[in-house]
Amino acid sequence: MADLTRTKKIALEEHFMEPDFIDYFNTTSINISPALFGKALDVLQDFGERRLESMDSIGIEKSVLSLAGPGVQAEKMTDVAVRRARQVNDFLAEKMAEKPDRYGGFAHLAMQDPVAAADELERCVRDLGMSGAMINGQTNATYLDDDRYSPFWERAEDLGAPIYIHPNNPPEQVHMYSGHPELFGPVWSWTVETATHALRLVFSGTFDRFPKAKLILGHMGETIPFLLWRFDSRWDISNRGDMTLEMPPSEYFRRNVWYTTSGVCADEPLRCSIDAAGLDRVLFAVDYPFEKPIEAGEWIEGASIDDEERAAVCHENARGVLLL
Ligand code: MN
């Protein structure tokens, strides 16, 4: 077997669980098989040998940790969401402080209150040493292109903090998935939901207003790199009223967006992402524990890219987007 530790790695979508947040995590149990869900819950709560050994087995020097599930974004009471976001960030900061060389973190934010979320993002990156934030899709049917999030984007841009949009379910039942529970979740609906979220941000002009804002998408960009040419060509002839953008849509996806390999271990979409979005845009991630580190490590070490590209994806590009 190839040496899976040959290329140093920083991994960007590596999840954990705090015991008080299991109820929120359980809201996603409809999307995942019960066998995987139960096993994951146990692994998610380990910050010791088990997690470190799995990192060491494929040369992951540092894992940027993030809470699994929607967390406080599923909380109905805004004040509770704000308070508990701080709680879980303090918990994560303790784990990072115990192993600062091995664990980084993404802030968890109560997006019900955009200004409180901006304040907490600032606290997390300034005081707790976090690398940015992970946001789990829509919150109360509101997406990040909504005007109410302008103060949030302004702060994120000022801080240089990347915002990683992680999949979540849509706010309502969608008829096109009826009779197909297998399509509702990671097989397909999360891709549609998350890619649409990113497209809302680009087409709303959010990145014209906040040109230095940084967005990260997992799962090899949720199919977006594959479609850049078509976005430009169809935007030109779309029924868009008085909407304007300063650049063709694809340019925002090359300027403001980064893409991780989380949960995708296949050469074709990797090649497409590097070629379409740029070599500096693609970063390694496992999606631990929902994907196996060994599988991700075997794949990236043997992927049909050259060693310069492999080093960029595995660790060098992280410095260009994360606050590390
Ligand atoms: Mn994930």
Side-chain angles (χ1 to χ4, degrees):
M1 192 194 283
D3 177 7
L4 305 186
T5 66
R6 192 168 65 95
T7 315
K8 183 174 91 174
K9 298 174 189 73
I10 296 172
L12 266 78
E13 193 187 316
E14 319 309 319
H15 299 300
F16 73 91
M17 181 50 57
E18 200 266 15
D20 288 347
F21 284 70
I22 291 172
D23 283 351
Y24 297 131
F25 183 52
N26 282 337
T27 63
T28 58
S29 63
I30 53 168
N31 302 112
I32 303 169
S33 80
L36 176 63
F37 200 78
K39 204 171 147 216
L41 201 49
D42 183 32
V43 176
L44 282 162
Q45 294 179 71
D46 172 67
F47 294 83
E49 287 312 307
R50 207 158 156 192
R51 188 182 289 267
L52 291 168
E53 277 170 20
S54 79
M55 288 166 59
D56 291 341
S57 70
I58 63 164
I60 298 177
E61 193 170 86
K62 193 163 205 172
S63 284
V64 185
L65 303 178
S66 50
L67 183 71
V72 301
Q73 289 179 252
E75 171 58 53
K76 292 297 165 212
M77 309 276 283
T78 297
D79 58 334
V80 174
V82 170
R83 176 169 51 78
R84 298 193 76 189
R86 282 196 206 109
Q87 176 195 329
V88 78
N89 289 327
D90 287 341
F91 172 88
L92 174 56
E94 274 176 35
K95 301 298 180 190
M96 288 164 59
E98 284 167 18
K99 296 183 176 67
D101 298 340
R102 309 305 307 276
Y103 296 147
F106 281 123
H108 183 66
L109 302 174
M111 300 313 292
Q112 295 90 334
D113 184 335
V115 174
D119 290 344
E120 180 64 359
L121 175 65
E122 183 164 349
R123 185 182 79 98
C124 287
V125 303
R126 286 244 166 99
D127 303 341
L128 304 183
M130 294 191 190
S131 294
M134 180 173 282
I135 295 178
N136 301 288
Q138 53 86 23
T139 308
N140 293 335
T142 304
Y143 293 83
L144 293 171
D145 61 302
D146 193 283
D147 283 345
R148 79 186 74 179
Y149 288 118
S150 290
F152 177 77
W153 281 113
E154 191 179 349
R155 196 85 62 92
E157 186 185 50
D158 283 350
L159 293 165
I163 305 300
Y164 196 135
I165 303 188
H166 188 272
N168 190 7
N169 289 329
E172 69 286 308
Q173 284 294 327
V174 181
H175 180 72
M176 68 178 162
Y177 303 120
S178 65
H180 285 271
E182 80 287 0
L183 297 182
F184 195 68
V187 169
W188 184 238
S189 77
W190 285 357
T191 305
V192 175
E193 179 74 8
T194 312
T196 305
H197 199 158
L199 289 165
R200 290 179 66 112
L201 284 163
V202 164
F203 285 101
S204 64
T206 301
F207 299 126
D208 285 333
R209 287 181 287 137
F210 305 102
K212 293 200 166 116
K214 298 178 185 171
L215 186 73
I216 305 176
L217 298 173
H219 313 107
M220 217 68 93
E222 315 286 359
T223 71
I224 280 178
F226 189 83
L227 292 165
L228 293 184
W229 187 90
R230 184 162 170 80
F231 294 146
D232 290 352
S233 117
R234 297 304 94 178
W235 159 249
D236 276 343
I237 58 159
S238 64
N239 184 9
R240 65 196 203 199
D242 59 0
M243 289 170 67
T244 58
L245 288 176
E246 291 174 7
M247 308 191 294
S250 66
E251 291 302 308
Y252 301 93
F253 284 110
R254 296 188 182 98
R255 185 186 73 181
N256 295 93
V257 188
W258 283 258
Y259 309 86
T260 81
T261 66
S262 64
V264 179
C265 301
D267 288 10
E268 299 90 340
L270 175 66
R271 188 73 260 159
C272 173
S273 298
I274 291 172
D275 291 347
L279 176 59
D280 61 335
R281 298 274 135 185
V282 184
L283 303 104
F284 180 74
V286 175
D287 202 358
Y288 182 84
F290 304 105
E291 294 292 337
K292 296 183 190 75
I294 290 290
E295 193 172 355
E298 282 180 355
W299 165 65
I300 196 69
E301 290 292 355
S304 54
I305 53 178
D306 64 38
D307 281 349
E308 183 193 337
E309 291 173 317
R310 203 177 333 273
V313 169
C314 285
H315 67 97
E316 287 169 6
N317 290 345
R319 310 271 166 207
V321 59
L322 298 182
L323 300 171
L324 282 173

